[in-house]
Amino acid sequence: QVQLVESGGGLVRPGGSLNLSCTASGSIFSVHVMDWSRQTPGNERELVASINTGSSPVYADSVKGRFIVSRDNAKNTLYLQMNSLRPEDTAVYYCNAVIQARSWDSWRTYWGQGTQVTVSS
């Protein structure tokens, strides 16, 4: 059983910073791409940043230059450093990862439960 658990959300003032993390645990043979996405009420989930080992990270235009995605493969952990936060960054942030649980398994996408980020003065 694979689980993704996010942490680090909260309330921050405009211009401030927050760091999110997401750790995958359970039966894990290999982790492929890991993403951060976000969603606000009534809107579709938006991809924020994506990272895969050996490839350059990919960012949504709205966060380029402000957010930095990284991962620690030894810890199966994904990070998102969010700087110069704006009120429009307010959302529930989700991590997802494409994981192969055992060597003979197919790749599957797993989702975390989400963490709320609120940017407000």
Side-chain angles (χ1 to χ4, degrees):
Q1 191 80 1
V2 175
Q3 283 189 318
L4 298 183
V5 178
E6 300 109 332
S7 62
L11 173 65
V12 64
R13 294 179 183 273
S17 298
L18 273 179
N19 293 316
L20 305 182
S21 63
C22 170
T23 299
S25 62
S27 174
I28 297 173
F29 175 74
S30 183
V31 181
H32 189 45
V33 64
M34 301 183 83
D35 300 332
W36 287 102
S37 59
R38 64 188 181 187
Q39 189 171 24
T40 54
N43 293 307
E44 292 187 357
R45 198 166 291 190
E46 170 195 24
L47 180 65
V48 174
S50 180
I51 185 169
N52 196 7
T53 302
S55 301
S56 298
V58 175
Y59 297 94
D61 287 343
S62 57
V63 306
K64 278 181 184 176
R66 300 188 298 122
F67 290 10
I68 300 173
V69 65
S70 61
R71 62 190 280 177
D72 184 332
N73 290 331
K75 297 180 180 180
N76 289 328
T77 298
L78 176 69
Y79 303 97
L80 186 67
Q81 180 181 337
M82 303 186 294
N83 304 312
S84 302
L85 282 161
R86 304 167 181 168
E88 54 263 39
D89 294 318
T90 296
V92 177
Y93 284 71
Y94 298 90
C95 74
N96 74 277
V98 178
I99 293 172
Q100 190 180 18
R102 293 165 294 185
S103 60
W104 59 89
D105 281 335
S106 301
W107 296 97
R108 269 191 61 187
T109 300
Y110 295 86
W111 290 89
Q113 81 286 355
T115 185
Q116 176 70 46
V117 171
T118 302
V119 184
S120 175
S121 55

